[in-house]
Amino acid sequence: MNIEKQLIEGIQAAFQQHYQHQLSEDEISLQPTRKDFTGSHTFVTFPFARITRQSPPQTAETIGNYLRENAEIVKDFNVVKGFLNIELSDVVWVNTLKSILQDYQSDKLYGFQPDNGQQVMIEFSSPNTNKPLHLGHLRNNFLGYAMSQILAANGYTVRKVNIVNDRGIHICKSMLAYQKFGNVETPESAGIKGDHLVGKYYVEFDKHYKAEISELVEQGMGEEQAKKEAPLIKEAQQMLKQWEQGDAETVALWKKMNGWVYEGFDATYQKIGVSFDQIYYESDTYVLGKDIVEEGLEKGVFYRKDDGSVWIDLSDEGLDEKLVLRADGTSVYMTQDLGTAELRYQDWSFNRLVYVVGNEQNYHFKVLFSILKKLGRPYANGLYHLSYGMVDLPTGKMKSREGTVVDADDLIDEVISEARKKTEALGKIDELTENQAEELFQMLGLGAIKYFLLKVDPKKRMLFNPEESVQLQGDTAPFIQYTHARISAILQKAKLENTDNQLFESIGTIETSEQEVVELLTAFPQKIQLAGSEYSPSVISQYVFDLAKAYNRFYTEVPIFAEEAKEKVAFRVGLSFAVAQTIRTGLGLLGIQAPEQM
RNA sequence: GGUCCCAUAGCUCAACUGGAUAGAGCAACUGCCUUCUAAGCAGUAGGUUCCAGGUUCGAGUCCUGGUGGGAUCACCA
């Protein structure tokens, strides 16, 4: 059934017959034929010159002839240098499309792997509760969500988790500023979303803090010392202590303000379509990990310094010495992460744990994974850091303290309103009710921003261009969504004319543009696998874009209903159906919806 | 300074993991709406893949050395 397999078998047979040589399956690699040449699969013969004792073109010629004679699926071939370009017979394309359609018409989703019995936990989002989400969080959230979908499509059982950083000095800063300058303001009374209100006081703190520092510096204090001596920071530190001691008033304020933030976050998560199966809070987990430190000391993995602090020496792996417990017995970031990993494994015995965290923490995760390996944790080899690059602005780097961040809520509102503006300008919403229109704007706007952030390889640092992110033409989600809407209209018409359920058999020659579309359709399962193994949703976005482009070309070049041969009409309707489904599922993997009409 | 990452068209990104003449989108220019949605399609122009060596049938991709940019090397998280 599988085309590649048949070709490989044919090539093996050819080597046997002509060169008396047994080639193993994985010695043979086929690649897609370049657009400028005829054919769909290419076999490169250069590496086999030693075996065949012929020049590469001669070898290609020999193999090509053998295949044309003996392999049913091969119609013709051509040779360019050592490249053997294989042209498949038309019936292969017809049958291929039929089998894809069968998948779509059964319960099985085309391109998805069956359950592999493996469990993967994926952590993403991980916000701080002292300020609202920004552009960087969006890349994180979209990546995490898309990867959870892609891993599920690869047969994993996926559990999405979020760890909320809800404690620490930065939270106390917001709290303190609110206490001092807040005038008992609430989100309701101020008419501001809860997370934004708390963020406002975080900025407020920084403003006053800076003023105090410069005052101290003016009085002749050094800057470093002034940062430590400013009354506000001391008060914040005092507050953190009170919180840790469980002081009732401090805890009450903390609960109230965090409550506001969660309401705000929930609204944002809901809007961007992101959800979690479980949420961890650092206020619960920050004390974890100390028993692991004990265990590590017993096993001799860690060692204690004279002052009582506990360390691990990783210099044999090219890493440094790393602190895992302070001299006063309190935990550090690493301690917590050790404890949290352990807790998660107890909660749900995963085969893999994926952390979606920015690449500025590459070193931290290297160390974390290395420690867990040394401790002999059963899950240590299943840990993966999905490290992604920073999002830059045309003006430079985002810095929250300097107010150069792009706020997530603002950005989302902007892309949606941009979608509304452009759709109205095109006059395409006359037939829609108000609700339908609103739903469409959301699909387009959110689609645009998600696609924009997901189309770049996660590992790479990327530039965020506000104008390009709201574009609806070219390499964008709306372009792909538009293709889906177009096909929906065709399928609707096919239903009305009752041409959608006709069978097609051999239909004669198929057009190049048709063949290209079928070829792309066959690649979908491999793309899902690649996106999963590379942890890269951009594989999917790239693919769906290519598919939409190929379909649009077919759409303008080849008539569907004007075609007289009924078999051909049915084939083309079937082709359209398969593309629509694939676009829909592909976009779905990215968390993007596909409208029926736009 | 040590370690890690990055450098491809004017701009933003690809390149199936070593294959053919390095591809898309945006911006610029030229065409195509009486035919299934022009948010589309076709075309023109745009490249010393940062530099210098090396490995081999073959290098944007691998190795060495540079140059430029970024991250990290906290008893912060």
Side-chain angles (χ1 to χ4, degrees), chain A residues 75 94 118 245 256 329 358 385 402 426 493 512 550 566:
Chain A
K75 180 162 89 178
V94 175
Q118 300 246 315
Q245 286 158 3
K256 181 165 82 175
H385 175 205
E402 290 169 24
L426 287 169
K493 186 168 176 184
T512 316
K566 287 228 166 92

Side-chain angles (χ1 to χ4, degrees), chain A residues 220-231:
Chain A
M221 196 184 274
E223 178 148 0
E224 284 309 305
Q225 201 191 349
K227 278 183 183 165
K228 284 180 196 154
E229 295 295 326

Side-chain angles (χ1 to χ4, degrees), chain A residues 131-133 193-200 260-261 264-265 268 409:
Chain A
K131 53 182 186 244
L133 304 180
K193 210 160 149 275
D195 49 339
H196 288 258
L197 184 73
V198 172
K200 185 178 118 182
W260 294 341
V261 172
F265 283 174
T268 305
D409 292 316

Side-chain angles (χ1 to χ4, degrees), chain A residues 208-221:
Chain A
H208 287 87
Y209 177 40
K210 273 196 179 132
E212 285 185 355
I213 292 171
S214 43
E215 199 173 315
L216 288 173
V217 170
E218 252 169 60
Q219 288 165 13
M221 196 184 274

